Amino acid sequence: MENPRPQPPAPTPPMAPLPIPVHPPIAPIPVPPRAPAPSSAAAVASTSAAAGGDDAEYEVSDDHRAARERHERAVQELLQRRRAYAMAVPTNDSAVRARLRRLGEPITLFGEREMERRDRLRALMVRLEAEGQVDRLVRAQEDDQAAAGGAVEEEEEQIQYPFFTEGTQELLKTRVDIAKYSLPRAKARIERAKRRHDDPDEDPEAEADLVVKQAGEFVLECSEIGDDRPLSGCSFSRDGSMLATRELAQLCLNIFHSLLHSKSNVSRLAALELYIKGLDISAFSWSGMIKVWSMPQITKVATLKGHTERATDVAFSPTDDCLATASADKTAKLWKPDGSLLTSFDGHLDRLARLAFHPSGKYLGTASFDKTWRLWDLNTGKELLLQEGHSRSVYGVSFHPDGSLAASCGLDAYARVWDLRSGRLFFTLKGHVKPVLGVSFSPNGYLVATGSEDNFCRIWDLRKKEMLYSIPAHKSLISHVKFEPQEGYYLATSSYDTKAALWSARDYKPIKSLVGHESKVTSLDISGDGQQIVTVSHDRTIKIWSCKINTQDNAMELD
């Protein structure tokens, strides 16, 4: 039986086509014919016309127009500032001045500083560039480069030497003499310090404690009216048998007070002028004198008269009984104790402040308000050294115990240590914020003390060249400072707060406050054995302070 064949599927009837929507034809976009590019004038005219049309169509308020103008000005200023800072402007002030001079501008204006001058040059260069005067800028820059090249060539031609001032043959001999004097003393001092450190039988710590303990026993031994005028300086002789004091002239002070309390305005103005000038007017006959007293009775031995103006300092020689005085008449003088004049030292251009003897006794150092201190030969009276370095008046000078160094202090708030053997500046003592009025070397050879108007006493280490300690010593300015002359175990300071004070040189703690004066303490000195201290004051008194233990020992020996 045959299988039936499969039948093909029935054909699907075709679907009717979907109707296609018919859209209307799109009209072509008309393309205007290309016109030639208008000129710049026509473009500006069309732009202004369009703007006018806009203004005609839209009303712009005055505030909006002003704001738009401010915005445009700010944009222009910003662009100019960017252009200015992109310019190469000299940084050296001398170069800035030279560029301003070449551009025909004033090199400086009243009260103008360096940065302000540089900003003015930058603004000028931007203005010239904006005005199209680029050729002026190019010529000025080329002239600057040519001048700089010439200066470089000159510097290359010159041989560079360290700055110095040529000295005399006398100064050379003096430096050699000071070196020969100081080196053996320094060697002996160091060997002694080593021996005391290594010797088991010696105890420097115990000795220092004993001296500090004795210093705490200082008491007022006697007080004597030195004059009817304020006293401003004092000095012991080398053996403590004589004392010299200097006094302020009261005549000018009396005139000042009378003018100040006068009812006349002219007199008050004269008093004000007198105060501003620091009471330094020779027409008022400042006649401060030097008096020499014998110790311990404090009896007057002699009066030194020879200066034409007031005396400013007095000091005894470390090798004999001669003494030197400084004065506002720009001179220093060397005297015998009986009042006879030996030598006069002339050369300073302004009044003298303080003076000091070199440890050898051959030289004298003087400090002056002419911003210099000078070294003099006592035998010939000649000026050996004129030392500059301070920016303001030099007030004090002191010498190292070995004689190798000198220290000067001034109203510029600095103290400086100089090497007398080479003439070089060894160390600048920076730390005070007001004038430095006193400086003193310690006998140990490496410590220096300074006293200032900022009421601080600062201790400096010459080995490390740095400040070691700062003592807030007094409530007013420190008029004088000095180390104990034997070993430097304690330090004495005097101040305008009517007090003098003693400080330990080990930890710089206060030992004793010497209270007794009724006015400003202007100066002090310590005897060679360290057993007596003298202070003078504006209360016109001389006060001698003695060690209580030493006084008791002397009384026991007499018994």
Side-chain angles (χ1 to χ4, degrees), residues 279-282 286 288 307-313 325-332 348-353 368-369:
L279 304 176
D280 182 23
I281 298 180
S282 59
W286 281 61
H307 290 290
T308 58
E309 294 191 29
R310 72 187 188 278
T312 57
D313 198 14
T325 58
S327 172
D329 62 6
K330 308 175 187 178
T331 65
H348 280 288
L349 304 179
D350 204 342
R351 67 184 187 270
L352 272 63
S368 171
F369 278 70

Side-chain angles (χ1 to χ4, degrees), residues 27-271:
I29 300 176
V31 178
R34 291 178 174 266
S39 62
S40 59
V44 172
S46 62
T47 304
S48 61
D54 293 342
D55 291 342
E57 184 176 357
Y58 301 103
E59 294 183 359
V60 179
S61 63
D62 295 338
D63 296 340
H64 179 73
R65 188 178 294 105
R68 185 168 59 186
E69 292 176 356
R70 287 197 301 270
H71 175 71
E72 292 176 355
R73 286 197 301 269
V75 171
Q76 292 297 328
E77 291 177 359
L78 178 61
L79 294 176
Q80 289 183 0
R81 193 176 296 112
R82 287 180 178 177
R83 194 179 303 113
Y85 282 107
M87 284 187 173
V89 182
T91 57
N92 190 4
D93 186 60
S94 60
V96 172
R97 291 170 180 264
R99 182 71 63 85
L100 288 171
R101 183 182 292 108
R102 290 185 175 89
L103 292 176
E105 294 291 327
I107 61 174
T108 184
L109 301 178
F110 180 76
E112 188 178 47
R113 299 181 180 178
E114 289 80 358
M115 293 304 298
E116 296 172 351
R117 189 177 300 112
R118 187 167 182 264
D119 293 339
R120 180 163 64 89
L121 175 60
R122 180 186 287 111
L124 174 63
M125 294 173 64
V126 172
R127 180 168 59 82
L128 292 177
E129 184 184 9
E131 294 175 357
Q133 303 182 26
V134 183
D135 54 343
R136 290 183 59 186
L137 297 177
V138 173
R139 284 200 305 271
Q141 186 173 2
E142 291 177 353
D143 293 342
D144 289 344
Q145 293 177 354
V152 171
E153 292 178 358
E154 292 179 0
E155 291 180 359
E156 292 178 353
E157 293 176 358
Q158 294 179 356
I159 302 176
Q160 297 296 327
Y161 292 103
F163 173 77
F164 71 96
T165 302
E166 186 176 356
T168 61
Q169 289 296 321
E170 290 82 0
L171 178 58
L172 178 60
K173 294 178 181 178
T174 300
R175 295 197 188 281
V176 173
D177 181 67
I178 290 176
K180 292 181 179 179
Y181 174 82
S182 62
L183 290 176
R185 290 172 62 92
K187 180 181 179 181
R189 174 175 54 84
I190 295 174
E191 289 179 352
R192 180 173 178 270
K194 290 181 178 179
R195 185 179 65 252
R196 296 186 63 190
H197 181 270
D198 298 336
D199 192 352
D201 295 334
E202 294 194 18
D203 190 354
E205 298 293 332
E207 181 181 348
D209 292 337
L210 178 61
V211 174
V212 169
K213 181 180 178 181
Q214 291 180 355
E217 300 296 331
F218 270 98
V219 294
L220 180 61
E221 181 180 358
C222 64
S223 179
E224 183 72 20
I225 296 178
D227 200 88
D228 56 355
R229 303 166 182 174
L231 301 177
S232 59
C234 58
S235 176
F236 273 118
S237 63
R238 54 173 179 166
D239 56 359
S241 61
M242 288 185 292
L243 172 70
T245 60
R246 61 184 171 92
E247 62 194 33
L248 289 175
Q250 190 67 20
L251 175 60
C252 188
L253 297 177
N254 293 336
I255 294 176
F256 170 74
H257 286 294
S258 63
L259 291 175
L260 185 62
H261 293 88
S262 174
K263 295 182 180 180
S264 172
N265 291 331
V266 177
S267 299
R268 292 183 179 180
L269 289 175

